[in-house]
Amino acid sequence: MALDREDVKRIAHLARLSIDESDIEGTSATLSDILQLVDQMQAVDTANVTPLAHPLDAVQRLRPDAVTETNQREAYQQIAPATEAGLYLVPKVID
């Protein structure tokens, strides 16, 4: 699909891009090449291709879900400016 000068100007306007008059020919050729590549990719038969989440057939290594730190809530709340019933009190920001 070949684009002419008016097509490029219209696309640039829709994309809110400023293109110099001297760059329109090069931009037209580049956009035409991109559209030609899209046409080639759409022509490929993908009916029997299984979708992949990842190109490699690998399994994620997971670490064991184990507690590695002790609960230090009391120590942290002792140094907090204000706490009540195990919660941190903060200034009200929304009425």
Side-chain angles (χ1 to χ4, degrees):
M1 175 180 193
L3 299 174
D4 61 8
R5 294 179 69 83
E6 292 305 314
D7 291 333
V8 174
K9 287 181 181 179
R10 195 172 319 120
I11 292 169
H13 174 73
L14 291 172
R16 303 298 189 251
L17 298 174
S18 175
I19 298 178
D20 292 335
E21 287 292 326
S22 60
D23 294 335
I24 290 180
E25 292 301 322
T27 304
S28 175
T30 302
L31 288 174
S32 294
D33 290 344
I34 291 170
L35 292 174
Q36 183 180 7
L37 177 63
V38 170
D39 287 341
Q40 288 176 358
M41 291 171 64
Q42 287 180 341
V44 174
D45 181 21
T46 59
N48 295 324
V49 177
T50 305
L52 297 175
H54 194 275
L56 302 177
D57 192 20
V59 177
Q60 178 88 22
R61 295 181 304 174
L62 300 175
R63 64 172 173 78
D65 190 15
V67 176
T68 59
E69 295 182 12
T70 59
N71 184 358
Q72 298 182 14
R73 178 179 175 182
E74 295 296 326
Y76 291 142
Q77 288 199 342
Q78 285 178 357
I79 61 173
T83 61
E84 183 180 306
L87 303 173
Y88 294 97
L89 300 178
V90 296
K92 187 175 181 178
V93 294
I94 299 175
D95 289 328

